[in-house]
Amino acid sequence: MADSSFDIVSKVERQEVDNALNQAAKEVSQRYDFKGVDASIAWSGEKILMQANSEERVKAILDVFQSKLIKRGISLKALDAGEPQLSGKEYKIFATIEEGISQENAKKVAKVIRDEGPKGVKAQVQGDELRVSSKSRDDLQAVITLLKGQDFDFALQFVNYR
């Protein structure tokens, strides 16, 4: 019998991020506490730019955006937001959406699988994802449960289970 396998990836659906950003922009434009502070959130190339005329307001915009991401099922571990920076009279926060598993993070996950996972489970790094294979599907389920219990500083999804 052939090995069963699944892939561990760290991907974000761009359309969902776009929807969350549009919802946050609409809320920022309509909320009373954002009136008269030149508050905005928008794409700036591949980054997300939040700006307002005070540090508290720009942090509040980030908070609104994070709540919209959560409602859309996107892990906040995929959002990498910088600190507020003063630019002229405005405060700005640049945020990026992280995708893919870096080599060192893939090695961390593979080490956890090797050390704590069932015997006979193999993990191979393939670009920005990790393929986990085993003869037993129960072992693969145990690995998924193990990894869901771990607290990595990046989002994980499990795909191509076969």
Side-chain angles (χ1 to χ4, degrees):
M1 189 174 116
D3 283 4
S4 298
S5 69
F6 68 89
D7 294 334
I8 302 172
V9 296
S10 181
K11 292 198 184 334
V12 175
E13 199 168 319
R14 176 79 178 207
Q15 185 61 50
E16 289 298 321
V17 174
D18 210 34
N19 291 342
L21 186 115
N22 290 336
Q23 286 179 339
K26 186 174 183 180
E27 183 171 326
V28 164
S29 71
Q30 293 176 344
R31 255 178 50 180
Y32 178 75
D33 58 337
F34 287 120
K35 293 281 186 243
V37 295
D38 297 328
S40 68
I41 178 171
W43 286 106
S44 173
E46 284 297 305
K47 294 184 175 188
I48 298 163
L49 171 64
M50 293 160 261
Q51 57 189 24
N53 66 4
S54 76
E55 190 171 347
E56 293 78 32
R57 290 294 96 207
V58 80
K59 285 182 177 176
I61 295 171
L62 177 61
D63 193 46
V64 168
F65 183 51
Q66 287 174 333
S67 71
K68 299 299 180 191
L69 287 174
I70 290 169
K71 283 183 182 171
R72 295 219 155 257
I74 297 171
S75 172
L76 291 183
K77 292 178 180 178
L79 179 70
D80 182 22
E83 288 300 309
Q85 302 165 340
L86 183 60
S87 170
K89 292 182 179 178
E90 290 190 324
Y91 283 87
K92 296 181 179 185
I93 294 179
F94 285 100
T96 56
I97 302 295
E98 302 289 322
E99 285 194 299
I101 302 174
S102 68
Q103 288 293 326
E104 68 241 17
N105 287 340
K107 287 177 184 171
K108 284 182 200 171
V109 174
K111 182 169 174 29
V112 168
I113 293 170
R114 242 189 344 270
D115 295 348
E116 302 174 34
K119 299 288 177 236
V121 175
K122 297 186 284 295
Q124 308 153 302
V125 178
Q126 295 181 331
D128 61 350
E129 54 186 51
L130 200 66
R131 162 105 4 118
V132 180
S133 58
S134 171
K135 294 214 180 293
S136 164
R137 286 182 164 231
D138 291 341
D139 287 351
L140 293 180
Q141 291 289 341
V143 168
I144 290 175
T145 305
L146 168 74
L147 293 177
K148 283 184 177 178
Q150 298 286 322
D151 186 30
F152 294 107
D153 56 351
F154 52 96
L156 293 179
Q157 292 91 32
F158 308 99
V159 296
N160 296 337
Y161 187 85
R162 50 178 161 263

